[in-house]
Structure formats: structure tokens, C-alpha cells
Amino acid sequence: MELTERQARIVEIVKNSSPITGEQIAAQLDLTRATLRPDLTILTMAGVLEARPRVGYFYRDKHEPSPLLLRLRQLRVGDFKSMPAAIRANISIYDAIVTMFTQNVGSLIVVAEDHELLGMISRKDLLKAALGKTELQQVPVGVIMTRMPNIIMTTPDEPIIDASRKLVQHQIDTLPVVEAFIDEQGDERYEVVGRFTKTNVTKILVQIGTLGQ
Amino acid sequence: MELTERQARIVEIVKNSSPITGEQIAAQLDLTRATLRPDLTILTMAGVLEARPRVGYFYRDKHEPSPLLLRLRQLRVGDFKSMPAAIRANISIYDAIVTMFTQNVGSLIVVAEDHELLGMISRKDLLKAALGKTELQQVPVGVIMTRMPNIIMTTPDEPIIDASRKLVQHQIDTLPVVEAFIDEQGDERYEVVGRFTKTNVTKILVQIGTLGQ
């Protein structure tokens, strides 16, 4: 169970003195009720706390996650991924920038002829190159790309929650979606089958939140 | 109720012949079960369909959204926004690029001295300028920024679902969070109080999905 420090303190307070109102919790933490509101909402959504109107918050000892939460955890990257925005390592940095504009993506995936994952190029990488003294028309993107094994990846069967956590933790906007294969030398390699981005995550939240209205 | 075309067809099929299995729905639509899986999951999460194991899907005539969904819809931008990454309109494009790197953000908000919203600058805008013949050290960002009234904004009390939909529909990664005020001439202006991004949305989904585990 991953709680922020403040959420853990809220849970402790509720455990020790429930029922307790939001105002009372806020007072104990020396915070305003407004500051606590998102934490209380998320703890209640997750089933850790129970909110009874005009009574206060209770700690739910054996909290069962809501059915919706269980389904959310079952959603897989493969069902929500986008087509990969892929380029070859020998195209120029200039052409990579043009591709990024025309495809309107935040990152480009660099692949070999057989779609093997070779590298990743972010807008930041291109901006850095464009600012420097690099000859954009001459230098291939292979020179500035992030290479294996430094690429954070996901797979079609990874839960979207885990892939989303990777995006947040590594401060990137795109994960290449890959399937592993073993090459003739017996080494593991990765075939690119899509991309999973913060845009995909945002679309998922909009879809969940909008349906049934 | 916003359904994709395919989701609407699924609902029609289930309405007309429930209980019906996922395989049977897939057969009617000439699709594979795997293709339908995300739609069925989302329709069930939203309470539009009910899935009974070993029986099939039912249409829920008066579907009540799950309590978690109701809470999700109550989450407000003000509780999840980040600090604004703001710059002044007279700094050079070059300095804006450096600020984007050092603050590690996807967009910069251009403000006046009193935090009034003047414009937005995306990585794409800067990349375009860096590629062109623009004198990056001389030209102020005010020249290339997107100006009012073409800026898509949000407010602290807007539901995160609605703000997320703006991010998706307008294909942007950042919304300035603003509070409206009336200036001395009686015109409406906007004070920047934060930014709301696809990263905020991704963090929310991770928090919801992870809690209670």
C-alpha cells in the first residue's frame, strides 16, 4: 500500500480516534480542511477510510477495494496503446524534428529495420541539439538518442497503473510498448509494437469519468 | 453520456439480447474478443453493463455509477494542480528554452508583473523557433507565444475530468489554472494560480489505482 507521508498520518489519526471529522483531522495536522480534501477523497475512494455524512471518517480495517478499482487495475497497456511513432537511427536530427512536428508526438522511437527497439528521442533531446552547435542536417539521431539499456519500456500485458507509474517516476512522456524475442546469439531483444503515453492515460481517465453520465 | 461508436453498438446488442457473452458480442460485430475487451471493461466500470461470471453481460437500465466514480467526478483541479512555470514576455527565446530545461516542464506560462496570464509557450513553439532563422538571444518570447483569447484555461474548481478532456481535445500538455478578475476598465482578465498537466492526470490515476493495495 503506497501512501504519501501525509496520507499515512491521516490514516493513523483516524485509526486512533474514529469517528473524526475532516475539520478535526485538519486541526491535528495544523492544516486547513481544504488542503486535506484531496487526500481524504483519495483515501475514501480507495476504501481505506469510510465517510459517514454528519458523523465523520472511520478506518476500514479490512477495506475491500471497490469493484471499479479492481477493474481499473485489470486494464492493460495493450488495449490502450497508440501506434509507435518510429524512425530509423540514420535519419538526420533535422528530419527527426520535422517528423516530431508532422506526427505531433512528444517522443520518437528509434528502431532497426525489423522494428527492434534501438533508442528514444524526446523533444528535450532535439531542443538541446537545436540549441547547440550540432549540424542538424548532418548528424544522425542515433548520435543523440537514449540507448538500451537506459530505455524504460512497457509490454502489452502490463497493467496501465504500473506503466503510468513508470511515466511519473522517470519523468518521461512516452514508453515504447515492446515484445521480447531471442536473437540468433541467444540475446534478448525487443520488438516495438506501440507507444504508451501520458496522453493515453489522460484519455483513459476521461473515458472512465465520462461514461454513464 | 459519451460513448464511442463501437461502445454504443455494444450497448445496443446487449440491450437486445442479454445475457450475452463477450464472444457472442464480438461475433456480431465481426471483431475478436480481445479487441472488445477494453470497451467491455469500461462499460462495466461505468455501470452501463453488468457482467455475471459464466452467464454474460446485462444492460443496466437505471445504472447507478459506482461510488468511486462519483468521487472521481468530484475531484477538482485546485487540489491537484502544480505551481505555475511562469516567465515574463520580454525574456529571450533562448532564456525560455533554458528555463524549460531547468524547470523540466513541457510548457511555460507567460505572465505580466501581477501574474496576469498573457500567453503560453510549448516545447513545439521553441523547437520551431530554434529551427528557423530566429535570433534566439534577441527575440523575446512574446513574439512567438500563443496569446489570449486562444489559450485554453482551467480554474481551481473545475472537475479534473473536464480539464483532462480539454487536454485531450486540444492536444496540449498544460492548462494554466486561472482565477478571473475585473480590471479598472471593466474587462475580464485572468490571474495565473497554477498549471494542470497530463503529468498531474497520470499521478492521479496512479494514486487511485495504487491505494488500498
Side-chain angles (χ1 to χ4, degrees):
Chain A
M1 181 148 131
E2 291 180 38
L3 296 175
T4 65
E5 196 183 326
R6 187 196 284 163
Q7 286 165 351
R9 289 177 67 196
I10 293 171
V11 171
E12 272 315 298
I13 290 171
V14 178
K15 263 188 193 170
N16 294 332
S17 46
S18 63
I20 181 168
T21 67
E23 282 77 11
Q24 291 167 330
I25 300 171
Q28 288 206 28
L29 290 172
D30 213 9
L31 294 169
T32 65
R33 175 76 181 77
T35 308
L36 282 194
R37 196 152 56 93
D39 288 322
L40 289 171
T41 304
I42 282 185
L43 288 168
T44 315
M45 283 173 79
V48 178
L49 300 185
E50 187 188 334
R52 290 193 208 144
R54 281 177 301 276
V55 182
Y57 290 92
F58 290 83
Y59 177 68
R60 298 182 65 181
D61 205 5
K62 287 183 185 172
H63 47 270
E64 288 185 12
S66 88
L68 190 140
L69 195 57
L70 293 176
R71 282 178 189 281
L72 178 63
R73 290 194 187 132
Q74 287 166 2
L75 299 181
R76 308 276 164 183
V77 165
D79 293 327
F80 297 94
K81 64 180 164 60
S82 299
M83 296 287 291
I87 53 170
R88 303 292 297 279
N90 60 357
I91 78 163
S92 71
I93 295 175
Y94 187 90
D95 286 342
I97 294 177
V98 172
T99 306
M100 190 170 276
F101 280 120
T102 52
Q103 302 218 8
N104 196 26
V105 290
S107 296
L108 294 167
I109 306 175
V110 183
V111 295
E113 200 170 358
D114 58 354
H115 305 293
E116 186 197 340
L117 176 64
L118 297 180
M120 292 294 292
I121 296 275
S122 69
R123 276 190 195 157
K124 209 165 159 175
D125 295 329
L126 294 178
L127 207 47
K128 211 181 281 182
L131 269 194
K133 301 212 188 310
T134 319
E135 282 291 339
L136 301 183
Q137 311 255 17
Q138 262 74 67
V139 181
V141 282
V143 172
I144 62 163
M145 71 186 182
T146 299
R147 292 168 176 281
M148 295 294 294
N150 297 320
I151 303 174
I152 315 296
M153 307 176 289
T154 182
T155 56
D157 60 351
E158 182 166 57
I160 57 159
I161 299 296
D162 297 342
S164 300
R165 188 181 302 113
K166 286 180 183 173
L167 289 169
V168 171
Q169 284 180 341
H170 297 281
Q171 301 191 337
I172 47 183
D173 61 19
T174 301
L175 295 170
V177 184
V178 301
E179 281 172 0
F181 67 95
I182 305 295
D183 69 10
E184 288 162 7
Q185 281 76 46
D187 293 328
E188 194 169 63
R189 293 169 174 271
Y190 303 96
E191 181 188 348
V192 177
V193 296
R195 70 183 208 274
F196 187 75
T197 70
K198 285 177 182 168
T199 302
N200 294 123
V201 179
T202 306
K203 284 180 181 169
I204 292 169
L205 194 84
V206 171
Q207 264 211 302
I208 294 172
T210 309
L211 271 175
Q213 266 183 330
Chain B
M1 181 147 131
E2 292 181 38
L3 295 176
T4 65
E5 195 184 326
R6 187 195 285 162
Q7 286 165 353
R9 290 177 66 197
I10 294 171
V11 171
E12 272 316 299
I13 290 172
V14 178
K15 264 188 192 168
N16 294 332
S17 46
S18 63
I20 181 168
T21 65
E23 282 77 11
Q24 290 167 330
I25 300 171
Q28 289 205 27
L29 291 171
D30 212 9
L31 294 169
T32 65
R33 176 78 182 76
T35 308
L36 282 193
R37 195 152 57 95
D39 288 321
L40 289 171
T41 304
I42 282 184
L43 288 168
T44 314
M45 283 173 77
V48 178
L49 301 185
E50 188 189 334
R52 290 193 208 145
R54 280 177 300 276
V55 184
Y57 289 92
F58 290 83
Y59 177 67
R60 299 182 64 181
D61 203 8
K62 289 184 183 170
H63 47 269
E64 289 184 12
S66 88
L68 189 141
L69 196 56
L70 293 175
R71 283 177 188 281
L72 178 63
R73 290 195 187 130
Q74 287 165 1
L75 300 181
R76 307 277 165 184
V77 166
D79 292 327
F80 296 94
K81 65 179 162 60
S82 298
M83 297 287 291
I87 54 171
R88 303 293 296 279
N90 59 356
I91 79 164
S92 70
I93 295 175
Y94 187 91
D95 285 343
I97 295 177
V98 171
T99 306
M100 190 169 276
F101 279 119
T102 52
Q103 301 216 11
N104 195 26
V105 291
S107 297
L108 293 167
I109 305 174
V110 183
V111 295
E113 200 170 357
D114 58 355
H115 306 294
E116 186 198 339
L117 176 63
L118 297 180
M120 292 293 293
I121 296 273
S122 68
R123 276 189 195 158
K124 209 165 156 174
D125 296 328
L126 294 178
L127 208 45
K128 212 181 281 181
L131 269 194
K133 301 213 189 308
T134 319
E135 282 291 339
L136 302 182
Q137 312 254 16
Q138 262 75 66
V139 181
V141 282
V143 172
I144 62 163
M145 71 186 182
T146 300
R147 291 167 176 282
M148 294 295 293
N150 297 319
I151 303 174
I152 315 296
M153 306 177 289
T154 182
T155 56
D157 60 352
E158 182 166 57
I160 57 158
I161 299 294
D162 298 343
S164 301
R165 188 181 302 112
K166 288 180 181 171
L167 289 169
V168 171
Q169 283 180 343
H170 298 280
Q171 301 191 337
I172 47 182
D173 61 20
T174 301
L175 295 170
V177 184
V178 302
E179 280 170 1
F181 67 95
I182 306 295
D183 69 11
E184 288 162 5
Q185 282 75 46
D187 294 326
E188 194 170 62
R189 293 171 174 271
Y190 302 96
E191 181 188 347
V192 177
V193 296
R195 70 183 208 274
F196 187 75
T197 70
K198 286 178 182 166
T199 303
N200 294 124
V201 179
T202 306
K203 284 180 182 168
I204 291 169
L205 194 83
V206 171
Q207 264 210 300
I208 294 171
T210 309
L211 272 175
Q213 268 182 328

